[in-house]
Amino acid sequence: MGRPPCCEKTGLKKGPWTPEEDQKLIAFIENNGHGSWRALPAKAGLRRCGKSCRLRWTNYLRPDIKRGKFSLQEEQTIIQLHALLGNRWSAIASHLPKRTDNEIKNYWNTHLKKRLEKMGIDPTTHKPKMESLIHFKDGSNLSHMAQWESARLEAEARLVRESKLQEQNNIVLTSSSQPPQQPRLILNKITPQPSLPPCLDVLKAWQSSCSQNKNNNDKKKTMHVHSMYAMMLATDDLESPTSTLCFPQSMVSTNQIGLMNNENYLLPPEVATVKEDGCCGGDGDSSESSWRYFTKHSTDRDEEVMPCLQDDDIMVAVDALRGGGYYGNNDVVAMAFTPLSSNVNMAVGFSNEVQDFDSNQDLATENLEVHFEENKDYWNSMLGYK
DNA sequence: AACAAGGTCAACCGCGGGCTA
DNA sequence: CTAGCCCGCGGTTGACCTTGT
């Protein structure tokens, strides 16, 4: 048996509501509540179907609806949530008090979507369009994607469990190697974040991934553990109702972390990375001191990849991604990121493939700068730095 | 002033999930 | 377990408005 229509189609009015109809609906609901929408029109004296009444009430007449222009903050929230949730308008609306899903959907389609497209950002993936294309060329990422996603889910579950057991202690990152007048990290002051529990499942997955690749093209398979791990942890505070968010292609193949000094130079890739042979980048070149944060452990070539990562380094990387601000020493600015893992990838200009930095380094760095410059305003506004 | 093109947004449509008998 | 029903969601439509020529 086919499903019957929600209401009698014949004789029911459609189209725009008149003020009289609005008044009837408002008066009835204020006096009686809406109850069964199906039964409401007859009781309220309206020649409309229940569905139409519900829509009119929820999207327009409800007293707790805010109408009018969206504020900058609301725009930012929508974009951030859309990056997380996709076209789940009701979920997005639940984070924007007094805004309806329909209104948000319309605003997205008519304003925000176009704005992103104009900036060369794919409004679906929230990544630069070129980058998306590059990714799809690399099918080798797929197995890693699954591995990462699996690990992430496990980590998420763990975090939920742990968060119920632990006090929320803000992590204050200091380093004994830092001069006292130069706090290791002040990022938390800018964007306070909940504490960062260790994410060992993720780390393990990454470690395993590294070891599997160890015999392949040693130099070309440069592993950028800092950035990977930081990105992974940076997603911890995402309210991720599904397992589909953001991680995918770009995260898996991410291999550069972007840091800038105050002259807008991007951190050279070999400095920002941790290579598979256990050596964090830098190689003692002259840039080592100015990019000190990522080269702290670079001299110890005998270390395994994972031991090479010190907790505080990871945390700094994570906070760089999550919060943004200065790394106290001189002039290094960690770019700022919050909830948008996939966007982060674009904004700092992570490259997308395991690259041969011997030959492509300059190009890669240049691309990072271009990516960042093109979208700087967008990210600044997103992050409230304007 | 007239027309076309593009933009906006309220409202509609159809689908799918959840509840109940 | 299944069918019937209701509700909410997301995609789409089309009337109205604005802007450009």
Side-chain angles (χ1 to χ4, degrees), chain A residues 1 3-4 36-38 54 87-90 105:
Chain A
M1 188 195 292
R3 191 175 165 178
S36 164
W37 286 111
R38 189 184 164 84
R54 176 173 52 81
N87 292 358
R88 296 170 60 192
W89 305 115
S90 63
K105 178 174 62 182

Coordinates of all heavy atoms in Angstrom, one line a residue, chain A residues 1 3-4 36-38 54 87-90 105, chain C residues 3-13 15:
Chain A
M1 N 0.9 -1.2 0.0 CA 0.0 0.0 0.0 C 0.9 1.3 0.0 O 1.8 1.4 0.8 CB -0.9 0.0 1.2 CG -1.9 1.1 1.2 SD -2.6 1.3 2.9 CE -3.5 -0.2 3.0
R3 N 2.0 5.0 0.5 CA 1.8 5.9 1.6 C 0.9 7.0 1.3 O 1.0 7.7 0.3 CB 3.2 6.5 2.0 CG 3.2 7.2 3.3 CD 4.6 7.6 3.6 NE 4.6 8.6 4.7 CZ 5.7 9.1 5.2 NH1 6.8 8.7 4.7 NH2 5.7 10.0 6.1
P4 N -0.1 7.3 2.1 CA -1.1 8.4 1.8 C -0.4 9.7 2.0 O 0.6 9.9 2.7 CB -2.1 8.2 2.9 CG -1.4 7.5 4.0 CD -0.3 6.7 3.4
S36 N -0.7 18.1 17.5 CA -0.5 17.4 16.3 C -0.7 18.4 15.1 O -1.7 19.0 14.9 CB -1.6 16.3 16.1 OG -1.6 15.9 14.8
W37 N 0.4 18.5 14.4 CA 0.4 19.4 13.2 C -0.7 19.0 12.2 O -1.3 19.9 11.6 CB 1.7 19.5 12.5 CG 2.8 20.2 13.3 CD1 3.9 19.7 13.9 CD2 2.8 21.6 13.6 NE1 4.6 20.7 14.5 CE2 4.0 21.9 14.3 CE3 2.0 22.7 13.2 CZ2 4.3 23.1 14.8 CZ3 2.3 24.0 13.7 CH2 3.5 24.2 14.4
R38 N -0.9 17.7 12.1 CA -1.9 17.3 11.2 C -3.3 17.7 11.5 O -4.1 18.1 10.6 CB -1.9 15.7 11.2 CG -2.7 15.1 10.1 CD -2.6 13.6 10.3 NE -3.6 12.9 9.6 CZ -3.5 12.5 8.3 NH1 -2.4 12.8 7.6 NH2 -4.5 11.9 7.7
R54 N 3.3 23.9 10.1 CA 4.5 23.7 10.9 C 5.7 24.5 10.3 O 6.5 25.1 11.1 CB 4.9 22.2 10.9 CG 6.2 21.9 11.6 CD 6.4 20.4 11.7 NE 6.3 19.6 10.4 CZ 7.3 19.6 9.5 NH1 8.4 20.2 9.7 NH2 7.1 18.9 8.4
N87 N 26.2 19.7 5.1 CA 24.9 20.3 4.9 C 23.9 19.9 5.9 O 22.7 19.6 5.6 CB 24.3 20.0 3.5 CG 25.1 20.7 2.4 OD1 26.0 21.4 2.7 ND2 24.7 20.4 1.2
R88 N 24.3 19.7 7.1 CA 23.3 19.3 8.2 C 22.8 20.6 8.9 O 23.3 21.0 9.9 CB 24.0 18.4 9.1 CG 24.4 17.1 8.4 CD 25.3 16.2 9.2 NE 24.6 15.8 10.4 CZ 25.3 15.2 11.4 NH1 26.6 15.0 11.4 NH2 24.6 14.9 12.5
W89 N 21.9 21.2 8.2 CA 21.4 22.5 8.6 C 20.8 22.6 10.0 O 21.0 23.5 10.7 CB 20.5 23.1 7.5 CG 21.1 23.1 6.2 CD1 20.7 22.4 5.1 CD2 22.3 23.8 5.8 NE1 21.6 22.6 4.0 CE2 22.5 23.4 4.4 CE3 23.2 24.6 6.4 CZ2 23.6 23.9 3.7 CZ3 24.3 25.1 5.7 CH2 24.5 24.8 4.4
S90 N 20.1 21.6 10.3 CA 19.4 21.6 11.6 C 20.5 21.5 12.7 O 20.4 22.1 13.7 CB 18.4 20.4 11.7 OG 19.1 19.2 11.6
K105 N 20.5 27.8 5.8 CA 20.7 27.1 4.5 C 20.6 28.2 3.4 O 21.5 28.2 2.5 CB 19.6 26.1 4.4 CG 19.6 25.4 3.0 CD 18.6 24.2 3.0 CE 17.2 24.8 3.1 NZ 16.2 23.7 3.2
Chain C
dA3 P 4.4 -4.7 5.6 OP1 3.9 -5.4 4.4 OP2 5.7 -3.9 5.5 O5' 3.2 -3.7 6.0 C5' 2.1 -4.2 6.6 C4' 1.3 -3.0 7.2 O4' 1.9 -2.6 8.4 C3' 1.2 -1.8 6.3 O3' -0.2 -1.3 6.4 C2' 2.2 -0.8 6.9 C1' 2.1 -1.2 8.4 N9 3.4 -1.0 9.1 C8 4.6 -1.3 8.7 N7 5.6 -1.0 9.6 C5 4.8 -0.5 10.7 C6 5.2 0.0 12.0 N6 6.5 0.0 12.4 N1 4.3 0.4 12.8 C2 3.0 0.3 12.4 N3 2.5 -0.1 11.2 C4 3.5 -0.5 10.4
dG4 P -0.6 -0.1 5.5 OP1 -2.0 -0.4 5.0 OP2 0.4 0.2 4.5 O5' -0.8 1.1 6.5 C5' -1.5 0.8 7.7 C4' -1.4 2.0 8.6 O4' -0.1 2.0 9.3 C3' -1.5 3.4 7.9 O3' -2.4 4.2 8.6 C2' -0.1 3.9 8.0 C1' 0.5 3.3 9.2 N9 1.9 3.1 9.3 C8 2.7 2.6 8.3 N7 4.0 2.5 8.6 C5 4.0 3.0 9.9 C6 5.1 3.2 10.8 O6 6.3 2.9 10.6 N1 4.7 3.7 12.0 C2 3.4 4.1 12.3 N2 3.2 4.6 13.5 N3 2.4 3.9 11.5 C4 2.7 3.4 10.3
dC5 P -2.9 5.5 8.0 OP1 -4.3 5.7 8.4 OP2 -2.5 5.6 6.6 O5' -2.1 6.6 8.8 C5' -2.1 6.5 10.3 C4' -1.0 7.3 10.8 O4' 0.3 6.7 10.6 C3' -0.8 8.7 10.2 O3' -1.2 9.7 11.2 C2' 0.7 8.9 10.0 C1' 1.3 7.6 10.6 N1 2.5 7.1 10.0 C2 3.7 7.1 10.6 O2 3.8 7.5 11.8 N3 4.8 6.6 10.0 C4 4.7 6.1 8.8 N4 5.8 5.6 8.2 C5 3.5 6.1 8.1 C6 2.4 6.6 8.7
dC6 P -1.3 11.2 10.8 OP1 -2.4 11.8 11.6 OP2 -1.2 11.4 9.4 O5' 0.1 11.7 11.5 C5' 0.3 11.4 12.9 C4' 1.7 11.9 13.2 O4' 2.7 11.0 12.6 C3' 2.0 13.3 12.8 O3' 2.4 14.0 13.9 C2' 3.1 13.2 11.7 C1' 3.7 11.9 12.0 N1 4.3 11.1 10.8 C2 5.6 10.7 10.8 O2 6.3 10.9 11.8 N3 6.1 10.0 9.8 C4 5.3 9.8 8.7 N4 5.7 9.1 7.7 C5 3.9 10.2 8.7 C6 3.4 10.9 9.8
dC7 P 2.6 15.6 13.8 OP1 2.3 16.2 15.2 OP2 2.0 16.1 12.6 O5' 4.2 15.6 13.7 C5' 5.0 14.9 14.6 C4' 6.5 15.0 14.1 O4' 6.6 14.1 12.9 C3' 7.0 16.3 13.7 O3' 8.1 16.7 14.5 C2' 7.3 16.2 12.2 C1' 7.5 14.7 12.0 N1 7.1 14.2 10.7 C2 8.1 13.5 10.0 O2 9.2 13.3 10.4 N3 7.7 13.0 8.7 C4 6.5 13.2 8.3 N4 6.2 12.7 7.1 C5 5.5 13.9 9.0 C6 5.9 14.4 10.2
dG8 P 8.7 18.1 14.5 OP1 9.0 18.4 15.9 OP2 7.8 19.0 13.7 O5' 10.0 17.9 13.7 C5' 10.9 16.8 14.1 C4' 12.0 16.7 13.0 O4' 11.4 16.0 11.8 C3' 12.6 18.0 12.6 O3' 14.0 17.8 12.6 C2' 12.0 18.2 11.1 C1' 11.8 16.8 10.7 N9 10.7 16.6 9.7 C8 9.5 17.1 9.7 N7 8.7 16.8 8.7 C5 9.6 16.0 8.0 C6 9.3 15.3 6.7 O6 8.3 15.3 6.1 N1 10.4 14.5 6.3 C2 11.6 14.5 7.0 N2 12.6 13.7 6.4 N3 11.9 15.1 8.1 C4 10.8 15.8 8.6
dC9 P 15.0 19.0 12.2 OP1 16.0 19.0 13.3 OP2 14.2 20.3 12.0 O5' 15.6 18.5 10.9 C5' 16.1 17.2 10.8 C4' 16.4 16.9 9.3 O4' 15.2 16.7 8.6 C3' 17.1 18.1 8.6 O3' 18.4 17.6 8.2 C2' 16.3 18.5 7.5 C1' 15.3 17.4 7.3 N1 13.9 17.8 7.0 C2 13.3 17.3 5.8 O2 14.0 16.6 5.1 N3 12.1 17.7 5.5 C4 11.4 18.5 6.3 N4 10.1 18.8 5.9 C5 12.0 19.0 7.5 C6 13.2 18.6 7.8
dG10 P 19.5 18.7 7.8 OP1 20.8 18.1 8.2 OP2 19.1 20.0 8.2 O5' 19.4 18.6 6.2 C5' 19.6 17.3 5.5 C4' 19.2 17.5 4.1 O4' 17.8 17.7 3.9 C3' 19.9 18.6 3.4 O3' 20.4 18.2 2.1 C2' 18.8 19.7 3.2 C1' 17.6 18.8 3.1 N9 16.3 19.4 3.6 C8 16.1 20.2 4.7 N7 14.9 20.6 4.8 C5 14.2 20.1 3.7 C6 12.9 20.2 3.3 O6 12.0 20.8 3.9 N1 12.6 19.5 2.2 C2 13.5 18.7 1.5 N2 13.1 18.1 0.4 N3 14.8 18.6 1.8 C4 15.1 19.3 2.9
dG11 P 21.1 19.2 1.1 OP1 22.3 18.4 0.7 OP2 21.2 20.5 1.7 O5' 20.1 19.2 -0.1 C5' 19.6 18.0 -0.6 C4' 18.6 18.2 -1.7 O4' 17.3 18.7 -1.1 C3' 19.0 19.3 -2.7 O3' 18.6 18.8 -4.0 C2' 18.3 20.5 -2.3 C1' 17.0 20.0 -1.7 N9 16.4 20.8 -0.6 C8 17.1 21.3 0.4 N7 16.3 22.0 1.2 C5 15.1 22.0 0.6 C6 13.8 22.5 1.0 O6 13.6 23.2 2.0 N1 12.8 22.2 0.1 C2 13.0 21.5 -1.0 N2 11.9 21.3 -1.8 N3 14.1 20.9 -1.4 C4 15.1 21.2 -0.5
dT12 P 18.9 19.7 -5.3 OP1 19.1 18.7 -6.4 OP2 20.0 20.7 -5.0 O5' 17.5 20.5 -5.6 C5' 16.3 19.7 -5.6 C4' 15.2 20.7 -5.8 O4' 14.9 21.4 -4.5 C3' 15.4 21.7 -6.9 O3' 14.3 21.6 -7.8 C2' 15.3 23.1 -6.1 C1' 14.5 22.7 -4.8 N1 14.8 23.5 -3.6 C2 13.8 24.1 -3.0 O2 12.6 24.1 -3.4 N3 14.1 24.8 -1.9 C4 15.4 24.9 -1.3 O4 15.6 25.6 -0.3 C5 16.4 24.3 -2.0 C7 17.9 24.3 -1.5 C6 16.1 23.6 -3.1
dT13 P 14.2 22.5 -9.1 OP1 13.8 21.7 -10.2 OP2 15.5 23.3 -9.2 O5' 13.0 23.4 -8.7 C5' 11.9 22.9 -8.1 C4' 10.9 24.0 -7.7 O4' 11.4 24.6 -6.5 C3' 10.7 25.0 -8.8 O3' 9.3 25.3 -8.9 C2' 11.4 26.3 -8.2 C1' 11.3 26.0 -6.7 N1 12.3 26.6 -5.8 C2 11.9 27.3 -4.7 O2 10.8 27.5 -4.4 N3 13.0 27.8 -3.9 C4 14.3 27.6 -4.1 O4 15.1 28.1 -3.3 C5 14.7 26.9 -5.3 C7 16.1 26.6 -5.6 C6 13.7 26.4 -6.1
dA15 P 5.8 31.7 -9.8 OP1 4.7 30.8 -9.9 OP2 6.4 32.3 -11.1 O5' 5.4 33.0 -8.9 C5' 5.0 32.8 -7.6 C4' 5.6 33.9 -6.7 O4' 7.0 33.6 -6.5 C3' 5.4 35.3 -7.3 O3' 5.0 36.1 -6.2 C2' 6.8 35.6 -7.8 C1' 7.7 34.8 -6.8 N9 9.0 34.4 -7.3 C8 9.3 33.8 -8.5 N7 10.6 33.6 -8.7 C5 11.2 34.0 -7.6 C6 12.5 33.9 -7.1 N6 13.5 33.4 -7.9 N1 12.8 34.4 -5.9 C2 11.8 34.9 -5.2 N3 10.5 35.0 -5.5 C4 10.2 34.5 -6.7

